[in-house]
Amino acid sequence: MTAAGNHNAGDDIVATVTAIAAAELGLPAASLRPDADLRAIEGMDSVKVLRMIARIEQAYDIELDDEVVFGLSSVAGTAGAVRQALGEQP
Amino acid sequence: MTGRAVAATNQHYDLDPELFGLFLDPLLKYSSALYESPGDTLAVAQERKLRFVAGRLGIAGGERLLDVGCGWGSLVLFMAREYGCLTTGISPAPRQHEYIAARAAELGISGLVRTEVGHFELASLPERGFDAVTMLGSIVHMPDVDAAFRKARQVLRREGSLYVSESCFRSTAARQAHRQRAGTEFVRDSIFGWGDMRPLSALVAAAENAGFSIAAVDDLTAHYYRTIEDWLAGVRAARPRIEELAPGYAAVLERYLEIANAGWGYTTKHYALTCRNARKGWRA
């Protein structure tokens, strides 16, 4: 799953997830690539991961599966899970 | 174990009550509030919570109540003042007792409020001597949860009630996965010195094994989240004074509260469990 493509809603989700992750990490959004491994970024810890997930869930009024929450990988991967939870086709 | 538990409670709970007054509600209740509307203040929500606890216990007035882990006495003082209960508070942190005695005297209810410094598991308390027992966030500090429920039943009269509220791992699997995590260890070792969070099922099992009937389970997770958000706002607003009282502590406190609030619903839950010391529970 990648963020590439012309799906506008999908791009919005990637942008939103990026903004939320960057805010939690205190980094500029531009420094987060969609394929960056979120868990490997310096300064990331399990508490920040959960806060990030909570903000994403709140933003979209969804509840992500535990596999997504605890297996969080990249911005694009998370955006894909959001898309799925919203019932959108990727 | 007991030595460790003493150190644990002393470490955090025996700090200056003024420090806690800077971010808790006026009653210094250090557990979840109960909110009803978006405009509710922490103070209003904490009072509502105490009335809710009274309701779960069937308090009508004048009951003998034991509060295990009484903190700064919010529950004993409230039940004595509002319901005329004859209350006993027990806690291992000595400073809390001077504070409670002074508050009881101010409120003119010294005759209804007594406290004991010590550990519930080891305390000598009258068998069947209470109509109600409460444990709000204290069982997490007790190494032997079965012994705690057994003791609670021992000191309750027949048809007495027990109210336990506790932060729990969301499931047995979550406990196994997260008890060694950095956040868990920080909260356990740096804040409390000792604590062992269990899933609700472990508390229910201990209650059943002790011979209790389960009367109610309430999910208070969202309420504890909001309570801690209110505490965090208080800590941030009072940072300079907290730093004067306990240098470096504002950051520790903030970190602890943020960790606690990140986990609700993902790794942790906050439940209230009401038990009855009666074969058939509440009378039909």
Side-chain angles (χ1 to χ4, degrees):
Chain A
M1 225 176 307
T2 72
N6 302 319
H7 198 286
N8 285 332
D11 289 348
D12 286 350
I13 295 172
V14 170
T16 302
V17 169
T18 302
I20 290 172
E24 196 53 59
L25 286 158
L27 297 171
S31 70
L32 277 186
R33 292 161 44 87
D35 60 350
D37 178 359
L38 284 168
R39 285 182 189 277
I41 293 168
E42 203 181 317
M44 187 55 102
D45 59 32
S46 58
V47 171
K48 285 184 183 151
V49 167
L50 290 182
R51 287 158 56 120
M52 204 183 90
I53 295 284
R55 285 187 189 179
I56 293 167
E57 290 186 337
Q58 207 179 7
Y60 290 99
D61 193 20
I62 52 173
E63 292 197 357
L64 295 167
D65 287 341
D66 281 358
E67 291 72 23
V68 177
V69 174
F70 296 107
L72 180 79
S73 52
S74 62
V75 168
T78 308
V82 170
R83 213 158 30 232
Q84 213 166 20
L86 289 170
E88 286 186 38
Q89 291 306 307
Chain B
M1 280 301 203
T2 306
R4 276 159 76 201
V6 173
T9 44
N10 286 352
Q11 196 176 319
H12 184 62
Y13 299 117
D14 217 28
L15 291 163
D16 193 333
E18 191 201 331
L19 190 150
F20 293 92
L22 294 170
F23 66 97
L24 301 179
D25 67 302
L27 302 173
L28 300 189
K29 187 171 169 303
Y30 204 9
S31 51
S32 181
L34 190 64
Y35 296 85
E36 231 173 53
S37 70
D40 277 349
T41 62
L42 178 62
V44 162
Q46 288 293 19
E47 281 215 21
R48 181 182 300 109
K49 174 68 177 313
L50 289 167
R51 291 190 194 282
F52 167 81
V53 173
R56 279 284 178 262
L57 292 166
I59 298 279
E63 285 84 357
R64 298 158 301 169
L65 180 145
L66 171 69
D67 186 31
V68 178
C70 60
W72 292 276
S74 59
L75 191 141
V76 287
L77 292 164
F78 188 86
M79 296 303 176
R81 195 183 61 191
E82 299 292 316
Y83 297 92
C85 290
L86 187 57
T87 62
T88 304
I90 183 164
S91 147
R95 260 191 182 181
Q96 297 179 333
H97 300 264
E98 299 158 28
Y99 178 84
I100 294 168
R103 282 294 292 150
E106 277 169 34
L107 296 166
I109 50 173
S110 295
L112 295 177
V113 179
R114 60 174 286 271
T115 64
E116 209 170 294
V117 182
H119 282 272
F120 174 58
E121 303 98 305
L122 306 171
S124 124
L125 296 160
E127 282 195 20
R128 296 174 175 261
F130 295 94
D131 304 295
V133 174
T134 49
M135 300 186 191
L136 279 69
S138 54
I139 220 164
V140 73
H141 301 303
M142 298 181 202
D144 188 343
V145 67
D146 288 297
F149 276 93
R150 275 200 306 272
K151 177 104 180 185
R153 181 152 182 250
Q154 214 174 63
V155 302
L156 272 177
R157 71 163 164 88
R158 198 167 73 81
E159 295 199 272
S161 298
L162 168 68
Y163 176 95
V164 174
S165 59
E166 198 51 83
S167 298
C168 297
F169 274 115
R170 187 180 150 201
S171 62
T172 303
R175 184 189 197 206
Q176 279 157 358
H178 294 281
R179 64 191 305 195
Q180 304 303 334
R181 282 279 179 93
T184 314
E185 288 188 340
F186 171 83
V187 170
R188 187 179 56 213
D189 303 332
S190 307
I191 302 290
F192 295 111
W194 203 87
D196 190 8
M197 231 173 18
R198 294 121 175 149
L200 172 67
S201 51
L203 301 184
V204 170
E208 287 177 334
N209 292 341
F212 278 110
S213 294
I214 307 297
V217 172
D218 296 289
D219 184 353
L220 299 172
T221 310
H223 295 275
Y224 214 167
Y225 176 85
R226 189 164 159 193
T227 303
I228 292 179
E229 287 293 293
D230 279 346
W231 290 345
L232 270 168
V235 168
R236 284 167 189 146
R239 195 173 247 278
R241 182 65 187 140
I242 293 174
E243 286 302 299
E244 275 173 31
L245 291 169
Y249 207 70
V252 174
L253 203 50
E254 216 174 310
R255 173 99 183 118
Y256 154 53
L257 296 173
E258 281 178 354
I259 290 173
N261 255 7
W264 297 127
Y266 299 101
T267 55
T268 53
K269 295 284 300 176
H270 192 78
Y271 288 113
L273 177 65
T274 307
C275 308
R276 291 275 292 164
N277 184 19
R279 285 196 198 284
K280 295 187 173 62
W282 288 103
R283 282 172 187 252

